[in-house]
Amino acid sequence: MSWRDYVRPVTPYVPGEQPKESKVIKLNTNENPYPPAPGIDVNAFRSEAAVAGGEGPELRKYPDSTAHDLVSAIAAYHGVEEEQVFVGVGSDDVLGMAFLTFFNSEKPVLFPDISYSFYPVWADLFKIPFKTVPLTEDYRIRPSDYMLPEGEVGGVVFPNPNAPTAILLPLDSVEEIISANRDSIVIVDEAYIDFAPEGSSALSLLPKYDNLLVVRTFSKSRSMAGLRIGYAVGSKEVIAAMQAVKYSYNSYTMNQPSILWGCASIKDDAYFRATVGKIVATRERFTKKLKELGFTVLPSSANFVFAGHPEVPASEIFAAARAKGIFFRYFAQPRIDNFLRITIGTDEDMDTVVSFLNEYLG
Ligand SMILES: *Cc1c(COP(=O)(O)O)cnc(C)c1O
């Protein structure tokens, strides 16, 4: 025997490539092309902290372990109680904590076969049994596939809109899944919901269902992937259960700049709506051009599109684009290996992509 036999066996999640070169068009990790709200700058941090603490940034002190200011800003934004909000280091942290807290039975957790590839990684890490549920032929989530006989489901998790398909599940279908699984927690991962039509979020279902947890992130729609802020909204009891697990692991997850700048982003709703609006407009424009080039494009409600060409393999387009400094995401995975996931950048970025494709497809 050796200590090597006692190491936890894991297969880590593989994030999209972060190229070293600066002169690339980076459309592979669903980042936002626009800067965060103008209130988010180092000087604002200095002066606000100076007011609060008397003498400049209070980085020598531990942050507020409850991140109260941020929790309170998020609660007010969504019109819920502060006790209904859990914040974490990106929604990956929040989702990981939710898996650890709620998926603690012998019964399998259900999620789509084509979905966020971190779900099976957490399930393996925490030794949670799971079952993947195939999407339909046209890459949709079918609610009836999540309706198993009572007592056979340990939990459900899915992104809405789904990733990497970008397809939105209508709210009445989301509700069918939640109401069919009232004995376990249903996590709706709304990383991209801000790019979907208003009224699509499961947040409106919270008063009806105490088994629902909605997870959100500042990484995509708020242009703050580098700060790492995510949150969950649920019933007070659900959130208290997550807090108990979090405080059993690491109390000080939210750093001071994230708390302050997260609040600044929430306060600037006009800027938020304007940037989201620009991305949605660019997405529609780009989708139209892709279709003119002969691409099949799944209907997107996110800040990316999932598209493939019937004659040219996606892997070849991916490699040719990369050689020109244009980064897409490609998954060499059954059913989706002829698709490219393309993040929506600025209009200028997308025009460059269209010219490249035009030339390449000749
Ligand atoms: C990007 C993404 C996340 C994680 O985002 P964070 O940066 O950790 O907040 C979670 N779920 C899905 C489906 C995503 O695409």
Side-chain angles (χ1 to χ4, degrees), residues 237-252:
E237 194 185 349
V238 158
I239 296 303
M242 282 185 77
Q243 302 284 15
V245 171
K246 174 236 160 92
Y247 290 122
S248 307
Y249 180 69
N250 181 358
S251 306
Y252 298 108

Side-chain angles (χ1 to χ4, degrees), residues 13 29-30 89-93 95 115-116 119 122 159-163 189-192 215-220 225 228-230 304 341:
Y13 170 75
T29 52
N30 296 344
V89 185
S91 55
D92 285 343
D93 178 42
L95 286 162
S115 188
Y116 189 35
Y119 301 154
W122 285 310
N160 197 35
N162 195 9
D189 177 358
E190 296 192 335
Y192 301 103
V215 177
R216 297 278 193 101
T217 178
F218 280 47
S219 296
K220 279 91 181 208
R228 315 301 304 126
I229 305 174
F304 60 92
R341 194 192 69 187

Side-chain angles (χ1 to χ4, degrees), residues 149-173:
E150 210 179 317
E152 283 185 19
V153 177
V156 179
V157 57
F158 59 91
N160 197 35
N162 195 9
T165 63
I167 296 177
L168 179 75
L169 185 67
L171 190 57
D172 53 348
S173 299

